[in-house]
Amino acid sequence: MCAAPAPGHRAAIHRVLGIETSCDETAAAVVDGGTTIVSSVVSSQIDLHARYGGVVPELAGRAHVELLTPVLADALEQAGSDHTGRGIDGIAVTHGPGLIGSLLVGVAEAKALSMAWGVPLVGVNHLESHLFASLLEQPDLGWPLVVLLVSGGHTLLIEVTAPGEYRLMGGTIDDAAGEAFDKVARFLGLGYPGGPAIDALAPQGDPTAFSFPRSMPGDGYDFSFSGLKTSVVNRVRKEPGAQTADVAASFQEAVVDVLVTRARRAAADVGARALCLAGGVAANSLLRTRVSQACADDGIGAFLPSRALCTDNAAMVAAAGHWRLTRGDRSHLDLGADANLRLVSTV
Amino acid sequence: MRLLAVETATALVGAAVMGDDGAVAERSHLGGRAHAELLAPAIEEACASAGCALGDIDALAADVGPGLFTGLRVGVATAKALGQALGLDVLGVSSLDVLAAGAREEAGAARSARVLAVVDARRGEVFAAAYDFSTPGSGDDPDPADVCDDRAEALTPEELAAWSDDLAAAGPVLVVGDGAVRYRELLAPRPGLDLGLADRVAAPSPAVLARLAARRLAAGVAPAAPADVVPDYRRHADAAINWEERVPVRTAPSTAP
Ligand SMILES: [Zn+2]
């Protein structure tokens, strides 16, 4: 394609603009050298989707179109750049997995900027970018790592032996962990998003009040949260007087117990030097505490990205993009979006 | 003036560049739903064909619909980002106006004195507008004064047929657009409706969009700042969430600790 910038057009990749629109956050960020966040702007659509108890794809796509111009302007200005892209050496954009109508908005924007500014473009896997969120705060993480990626859309255990070298160890066979939080919070009348609501209420309740099931399907590293959600619903129907805080605390205890048990075993089985959290559910207070404890007990590192880097953001996209652009990866102008893009090793 | 026009409202995806001499270079594809993959290369190729770089462009136009939601988002997001990056405002143009202008170009003034432009809205509905160029002083362009009726929401084919009968009662109507093609069997037999150009003017054309936008800009129509350009959806968002199973809401929440 004639659009590929001439080799050596801008020899070194220092500053990368990241663009993220895979779900309900419209985000843009500039990262220098792959690890220094120069600017990071995230415009959340939570209020827009709250009354539906979840992300409405068509509403999300429409909101991205309205938000992309101001979010980009803010990210460039805070980075000391401007609309001409001064100082930007490359553009990275999430092209999957996620909501197709949302992904396409960011991909279209990124390609237009790449054409107009004459800088290279690379499409980034959203899951890979979550893994790079950790490197933004701790560039010298040792390998191998086991990453527990937990969000509203994903529950994955991934072995990382080096940047770009991934092995999927396990995933959920039904609901994602964040989805279970949303559904139970909705049932309990706690609103959306469910994770922060339950996290906030649980300390007021007794986590041993109810013994909810810890489902761990198979002998491997898979998860299942659908039965837990059903169990909560059935139990509360049988006991209408149950205190919501006790239910929330007991439910959270069960989810965290399952996540930590499986992640800990995965880390031990591959001889990981550290266990790393990623994704929106990684902001959960109890999960962070339990992972820290477990890793201390097992004598391995625990890496818990700051809450801002757990949830969707564009700094992690720029960081992943910096790594890809530096190793020579380029996307062409015919880049599309793939709602089901898989995480594959580059080696 | 060098104007770049971006067209993604229907299954036709493309771009056109009008040079200083008024000549238009167009690249377009019948892309189905691959708007994102096809648009950016079409822009590059249209620029190359017109012998200019994107940096030489000094006016932008985009079809803002009504049409396919995903296509519109790709086109509008692209136009907004180009406008932002190049420091240019964007002229949003209705897909129905582009169809009517295309009908004028193809049919000549007499046959296209009255035009019904119909865009396939999918899900068994259409978006449509009717134009009357026969009034004295009306130019060749579908300007707001020529739009005798622009239905603000999606119509069923039956509503469209009843409306077109009313229009035809006042004289012949040239019906164009992919909505006319889809519902040809319903519309073609009706007296006074001319569907003879429906296939040739099935989709809004990037070149027609470029010419129409250039005339509007020359006439003093102001383009909008990139932040203010939005698609004309004409339909509320489908607020369905694909939970595998809806979780009931607890009827008597007990929130006291
Ligand atoms: Zn995410």
Side-chain angles (χ1 to χ4, degrees), chain A residues 22 126 130 151 154 279 310-312 316:
Chain A
S22 67
H126 181 74
H130 269 300
S151 69
H154 302 282
C310 289
T311 49
D312 287 352
M316 66 187 193

Side-chain angles (χ1 to χ4, degrees), chain A residues 50 53 181-182 185-186 188-195 197:
Chain A
F181 272 100
D182 283 341
R186 179 181 160 83
L188 295 175
L190 298 176
Y192 172 86

Side-chain angles (χ1 to χ4, degrees), chain A:
Chain A
M1 199 61 50
C2 53
H9 174 66
R10 296 193 189 186
I13 303 287
H14 299 293
R15 290 197 167 194
V16 174
L17 169 71
I19 293 173
E20 155 68 37
T21 63
S22 67
C23 189
D24 62 341
E25 321 278 1
T26 312
V30 176
V31 168
D32 194 4
T35 52
T36 305
I37 300 175
V38 185
S39 68
S40 181
V41 178
V42 179
S43 180
S44 171
Q45 306 172 10
I46 282 174
D47 294 346
L48 181 66
H49 302 285
R51 58 180 289 230
Y52 303 101
V55 177
V56 181
E58 177 61 23
L59 285 179
R62 292 184 181 195
H64 285 305
V65 173
E66 294 187 6
L67 293 168
L68 67 88
T69 309
V71 166
L72 174 65
D74 283 356
L76 290 172
E77 192 190 323
Q78 289 173 27
S81 182
D82 58 22
H83 71 274
T84 65
R86 185 163 40 88
I88 304 295
D89 306 309
I91 297 170
V93 62
T94 306
H95 70 120
L99 300 170
I100 190 72
S102 291
L103 290 163
L104 286 172
V105 174
V107 169
E109 179 189 30
K111 292 198 290 185
L113 296 176
S114 172
M115 280 193 285
W117 292 342
V119 298
L121 169 75
V122 69
V124 167
N125 183 303
H126 181 74
L127 305 176
E128 181 173 64
S129 69
H130 269 300
L131 307 183
F132 271 86
S134 309
L135 293 172
L136 276 165
E137 291 175 323
Q138 191 161 321
D140 53 352
L141 285 172
W143 317 105
L145 275 179
V146 165
V147 179
L148 174 64
L149 172 46
V150 271
S151 69
H154 302 282
T155 305
L156 300 169
L157 272 169
I158 302 161
E159 181 190 9
V160 187
T161 44
E165 289 182 41
Y166 312 117
R167 185 172 68 90
L168 183 62
M169 301 182 73
T172 180
I173 60 170
D174 41 55
D175 292 353
E179 200 179 347
F181 272 100
D182 283 341
K183 288 178 174 177
V184 168
R186 179 181 160 83
F187 172 68
L188 295 175
L190 298 176
Y192 172 86
I198 288 176
D199 196 356
L201 182 63
Q204 301 168 39
D206 174 6
T208 63
F210 300 96
S211 175
F212 292 126
R214 272 76 166 156
S215 168
M216 299 193 213
D219 301 327
Y221 310 97
D222 286 340
F223 300 94
S224 165
F225 294 105
S226 180
L228 170 59
K229 170 204 65 195
T230 306
S231 173
V232 171
V233 171
N234 292 340
R235 189 63 191 267
V236 172
R237 280 192 174 146
K238 262 185 226 152
E239 284 183 49
Q243 295 296 309
T244 299
D246 290 344
V247 178
S250 301
F251 161 76
Q252 178 175 267
E253 186 74 23
V255 174
V256 169
D257 199 9
V258 167
L259 290 173
V260 173
T261 302
R262 287 247 131 145
R264 191 176 190 174
R265 210 191 83 210
D269 288 354
V270 302
R273 292 179 55 186
L275 179 59
C276 182
L277 286 180
V281 177
N284 179 274
S285 308
L286 184 67
L287 179 61
R288 295 171 81 89
T289 305
R290 290 289 164 75
V291 165
S292 298
Q293 283 169 357
C295 290
D297 290 350
D298 295 349
I300 62 172
F303 195 69
L304 319 174
S306 62
R307 283 177 165 82
L309 285 175
C310 289
T311 49
D312 287 352
N313 65 86
M316 66 187 193
V317 179
H322 180 273
W323 178 74
R324 289 206 162 266
L325 288 165
T326 300
R327 63 193 291 280
D329 290 0
R330 297 289 185 274
S331 295
H332 295 290
L333 284 183
D334 60 357
L335 178 70
D338 181 351
N340 302 305
L341 188 67
R342 294 169 68 95
L343 186 66
V344 290
S345 288
T346 40
V347 188

Side-chain angles (χ1 to χ4, degrees), chain B residues 217-234:
Chain B
L217 290 170
V221 178
D228 298 330
V229 182
V230 286
D232 177 12
Y233 296 106
R234 296 197 182 193

